[in-house]
Amino acid sequence: MELMIVKAKRIDYDGSAIQSHWAYGNFGILGNSLVVFRGKCDVKVEEMIDIEDLRQSKEIRSDDMVHYIIEVFDLVNTLFASTLQKLFIARLCEVLAEYGVKTTRKGDDIYVNGKKLSISIATVSPVSIKIHIGINVEARGIPKGVDAIGLKELGIMDVEGFMEKTGKALVEEFKKVKKDSLKVRWAQ
């Protein structure tokens, strides 16, 4: 899995990056990839993937988030997509613990002191699985009724350092899973 951390510019997430080959089309990364970037989040209804969110007419937005766009071509399956998404969320919780932040994982979301820190979605395209994870940098521009928190409120001020550390941790986790899947014999 190739990692790209975009620090030179901000990229706003509108949901379109969940389409297949986004990393290849925008950054020339062909194959399994993780692109980490920072920007606003404002997912329009036509880009929403989660049917439950659509049915409830939920708004998905934030003024400032760290975004993770993951694409994997090895197995195109919604169960695999959802499993990998939850593994990555759990790994992010472990990295946050290294910063001294006590988290709670509820499904595919991260909470701190009952306040929502992240959003996430996993889906499939005809050729790959796609995952988006967004972590609030500051809890601004969040839809009404959502009690949210951001990295800066948690004392994590070096956002670029956080992007680097978490990006590397997720890629290492994926590589370990891939290696472990290749080193076992089949049961007879």
Side-chain angles (χ1 to χ4, degrees):
M1 175 176 281
E2 189 170 339
L3 171 65
M4 173 168 224
I5 300 171
V6 180
K7 296 179 184 176
K9 64 178 181 174
R10 295 218 178 180
I11 302 170
D12 293 337
Y13 178 77
D14 63 3
S16 62
I18 206 78
Q19 296 173 10
S20 60
H21 296 292
W22 179 82
Y24 185 46
N26 287 279
F27 302 103
I29 302 170
L30 182 60
N32 296 341
S33 63
L34 168 58
V35 179
V36 185
F37 58 94
R38 184 174 174 183
K40 291 181 180 183
C41 176
D42 189 3
V43 180
K44 303 296 182 210
V45 172
E46 59 271 13
E47 297 291 349
M48 284 192 188
I49 300 296
D50 191 320
I51 297 167
E52 189 174 310
D53 288 346
L54 278 170
R55 289 181 51 133
Q56 296 174 10
S57 299
K58 283 190 176 176
E59 294 180 280
I60 303 172
R61 58 184 159 73
S62 176
D63 286 352
D64 194 5
M65 295 187 106
V66 173
H67 299 279
Y68 306 81
I69 299 293
I70 299 124
E71 185 163 27
V72 176
F73 294 88
D74 298 314
L75 176 64
V76 181
N77 175 291
T78 55
L79 180 61
F80 176 60
S82 182
T83 301
L84 191 58
Q85 171 197 32
K86 286 164 183 57
L87 174 66
F88 284 164
I89 292 292
R91 186 66 184 106
L92 287 169
C93 288
E94 292 172 350
V95 174
L96 285 160
E98 294 172 18
Y99 283 90
V101 178
K102 186 175 180 342
T103 61
T104 304
R105 181 179 67 85
K106 295 180 185 174
D108 53 22
D109 291 320
I110 302 170
Y111 288 80
V112 178
N113 298 323
K115 296 181 178 184
K116 193 170 182 181
L117 178 64
S118 70
I119 60 171
S120 184
I121 191 66
T123 192
V124 295
S125 79
V127 296
S128 64
I129 69 163
K130 291 293 302 243
I131 300 168
H132 169 254
I133 300 169
I135 296 181
N136 290 318
V137 173
E138 292 184 79
R140 292 189 334 238
I142 308 294
K144 288 184 180 185
V146 177
D147 194 10
I149 195 164
L151 295 172
K152 290 192 175 180
E153 289 97 335
L154 298 172
I156 301 172
M157 301 302 180
D158 180 9
V159 177
E160 286 188 1
F162 180 82
M163 292 166 63
E164 189 91 29
K165 185 173 186 169
T166 54
K168 287 178 181 175
L170 295 183
V171 168
E172 287 169 11
E173 191 74 21
F174 179 81
K175 286 181 177 179
K176 183 174 182 340
V177 167
K178 181 115 175 166
K179 179 183 175 190
D180 289 351
S181 75
L182 296 172
K183 69 178 186 172
V184 295
R185 295 187 312 136
W186 60 282
Q188 297 179 8

